Each structure stands twice: as structure tokens, then as C-alpha cells.
Amino acid sequence: MPGRLLRGLWQRWRRYKYRFVPWIALNLSHNPRTLRYVPEESKDKVLSDEDVLGTLLQLFQALFLNDFSKQSDILAVLPEPVKSKYQDLWAVQHQRETLLGNSQPQNTFKPEEVLYKTLGFCVVRAPSSVISAGKGVFVAKGLVPKGAVVSMYPGTVYQKHEPIFFQSIGNPFIFRCLDGVLIDGNDKGISKVVYRSCSGRDRLGPLKMSDSTWLTAETDNPLAVGQYVNNCSNERAANVCYQEFDVPAVFPVELKQYLPNTAYSYDRHSLLRCVVLIALRDIKQGEELFSNYYTIVS
């Protein structure tokens, strides 16, 4: 029994140590390949915000059309020009599928299949190739090109002054942005309860302002697995990096149902912070994603 307990504690420490500040400070110099240097916060961009936005809109629109038969309540509250646009897009897509000989109904494709059809790859959670690392994220199909948005970091977004103490205890899924904003990507315990509460608070009738399905085994947004990407090492170099992205005010309200983030405190004047993971090189099918947990601003 003591041996089993010690092994369990050791495994938890191996996962948690990357969030333990004293350990980080002592080990940075010993692991140069696990660091990412940027000259200043404003230059921490591998991909432009416009390109990130374009990718998300492309995927989210494809997901919306794939599930078109279930969007009637949302379509009913949209302006007529927007409603007509989606109806026309769905008709064109349905005709294209028919010409290709695909008799499968439009709303039966799984989200990961929509991701593959739209961006040319799909990612999944699976046991990591790193011993004792728990779950990891792999390219299950296709090729991720360099500079592509490969996943998103889901969770509740906390400003620097907001309470997160109890949620942070033993929680290895808290991501700290360069400006001190925190994102809690834990899909269990009090973190899960807080996210569901905040997501439900922001809902406007049939319009969801965020996606809470990432808390379950069946997520509507197949990119929302970024919290399970493991840290790189001297043996496994990083192939993705984190990039902060503030959702613009003009983001289509009908597509917010796929955003895997919600703010802890409601503020209609503040932009929602998201974090995406960008491919640093071409990533082939079967490869695991590895990121830099530490960004050094010089």
C-alpha cells in the first residue's frame, strides 16, 4: 500500500511540477529546449490575429452548417440577411455532397470529421507517449501545416484580481497569459462547476455565448483539447506554441456556441481572451503535440 501511494504521488508531481514556481526557477537553465523566448509581449505572435480569426470562423461555420437541422431556434432570432446566407450556404453544400455521391445526411458527420474536411487534419486525446504524463494530444489524421491553428485552450478566464485560489489547488491545468490573465482548463471538480455556471449565466435565449461540451467526452469543437498538450523536453522538441487571441466584438453571435472559453465575471465591454496553439512546423499523422510551458519575455 505505501509503495502504491508513493507511486501515485510521484506521478501527480511529474504532472504538476511544471506549474510549481520554485521548481521552474531552479530548472529553467537545465532545460534550454523547453524555453521560448520573445522580445516583448506585443511580438508574441506566430500567426496574425486576422489569420487566427479566419481559421476559427471557417471551422465554426462548417460546424454550424453540419448541424444545420438543430439550429432552427438560433436562425429564428438572427437578422434575415444572416439567416438567408446560412440557408444558401447549406443548400450549396448539400448540392455539392449530392454530386459527389455522398448520401450521408448533413448532420451526421462527427465534429472531428468536419475538422478534417475543413482544415485537412484532426486531433484527438489519447494516452501520452511520455511515461507518467497522462493524456496527450495527437494528430489522428491528415497533416498539420506550419503556422496552422491546431487546437484551443478551453476554460474559465480570470482577470488578475479575480479569485481562483480554491480552483487552483492541485490543478495542473491553469494557464497564465503574458499579461497575468489566467485560464482554468480543468474539466473536473470545482473548475467544471464554475465553468458551467458562468456559461449558463451568459446565455441569451437560444444563443449560447460559449461551448461547455469540452467538459464531456463528446465535444462540439474538436479543437478544444489544448489543455492536454504536454510540455516539451530536451528529447521531444516543441512542435506547437501558445498564442493569445482576444475575440473581436464583431464575432458572429451564432458561432460563439463553439468558443470553449467564458469569463469568470461578466463584462460586456471586455473582449473574451482565448489561447490557441499554433504549429511551429509541419506535423504528421500519428505525432504527439508538445508545447513550451515557459515563455521568457526579454
Side-chain angles (χ1 to χ4, degrees):
M1 181 64 72
R4 183 183 303 174
L5 178 61
L6 289 174
R7 284 195 299 272
L9 291 173
W10 175 245
Q11 290 176 358
R12 287 180 62 85
W13 166 246
R14 286 175 64 92
R15 294 193 296 268
Y16 185 71
K17 64 184 180 181
Y18 301 111
R19 275 81 174 180
F20 186 59
V21 175
W23 185 90
I24 293 173
L26 290 171
N27 286 273
L28 284 179
S29 61
H30 300 300
N31 296 277
R33 293 187 67 186
T34 68
L35 305 179
R36 178 167 176 258
Y37 293 88
V38 297
E40 55 187 81
E41 291 184 19
S42 61
K43 296 183 179 179
D44 185 33
K45 299 285 184 182
V46 176
L47 193 65
S48 71
D49 286 344
E50 291 75 16
D51 288 337
V52 172
L53 176 62
T55 297
L56 297 184
L57 290 178
Q58 182 184 7
L59 175 61
F60 292 1
Q61 181 174 281
L63 292 168
F64 186 90
L65 293 173
N66 179 68
D67 214 18
F68 196 72
S69 63
K70 298 180 181 179
Q71 306 289 356
S72 56
D73 290 342
I74 293 178
L75 291 170
V77 300
L78 295 179
E80 192 59 37
V82 178
K83 179 180 178 179
S84 298
K85 181 194 74 171
Y86 283 113
Q87 290 173 332
D88 292 342
L89 287 172
W90 185 85
V92 170
Q93 181 171 304
H94 184 70
Q95 184 179 27
R96 184 186 302 119
E97 295 289 346
T98 301
L99 291 174
L100 291 174
N102 190 344
S103 59
Q104 190 174 20
Q106 291 293 310
N107 63 346
T108 58
F109 290 110
K110 295 180 179 179
E112 55 268 27
E113 294 173 326
V114 176
L115 174 60
Y116 177 73
K117 290 173 60 179
T118 306
L119 300 184
F121 65 86
C122 64
V123 291
V124 296
R125 288 178 293 181
S128 174
S129 60
V130 179
I131 298 175
S132 301
K135 294 180 181 178
V137 178
F138 294 79
V139 178
K141 188 177 181 182
L143 173 72
V144 180
K146 179 181 179 179
V149 176
V150 66
S151 64
M152 301 181 71
Y153 199 102
T156 305
V157 181
Y158 292 82
Q159 299 302 314
K160 290 184 287 187
H161 63 275
E162 293 176 333
I164 194 175
F165 174 76
F166 289 108
Q167 298 92 307
S168 68
I169 297 175
N171 183 354
F173 295 108
I174 294 180
F175 180 92
R176 186 185 186 278
C177 298
L178 291 175
D179 60 359
V181 170
L182 302 173
I183 300 180
D184 182 4
N186 195 353
D187 56 10
K188 297 179 177 62
I190 188 173
S191 299
K192 180 177 182 178
V193 174
V194 169
Y195 186 92
R196 285 193 183 279
S197 176
C198 294
S199 179
R201 172 203 63 201
D202 296 341
R203 182 167 181 164
L204 300 173
L207 295 171
K208 298 178 182 178
M209 298 296 106
S210 59
D211 172 31
S212 60
T213 62
W214 66 272
L215 297 168
T216 70
E218 301 292 334
T219 178
D220 288 345
N221 177 358
L223 290 181
V225 293
Q227 79 276 38
Y228 285 105
V229 173
N230 284 305
N231 190 41
C232 63
S233 65
N234 289 329
E235 294 75 31
R236 296 177 173 86
N239 50 20
V240 299
C241 69
Y242 300 103
Q243 181 169 310
E244 298 165 22
F245 172 72
D246 290 335
V247 180
V250 295
F251 197 88
V253 67
E254 69 277 6
L255 300 182
K256 289 185 177 182
Q257 63 181 297
Y258 302 110
L259 289 171
N261 298 97
T262 187
Y264 178 75
S265 296
Y266 175 74
D267 182 357
R268 63 188 182 90
H269 299 295
S270 298
L271 300 180
L272 178 67
R273 172 65 53 83
C274 290
V275 170
V276 297
L277 282 83
I278 311 295
L280 295 172
R281 60 169 175 80
D282 291 351
I283 307 174
K284 299 178 182 179
Q285 179 175 321
E287 286 193 72
E288 183 173 359
L289 305 185
F290 291 102
S291 63
N292 294 95
Y293 280 3
Y294 322 121
T295 297
I296 305 299
V297 181
S298 57

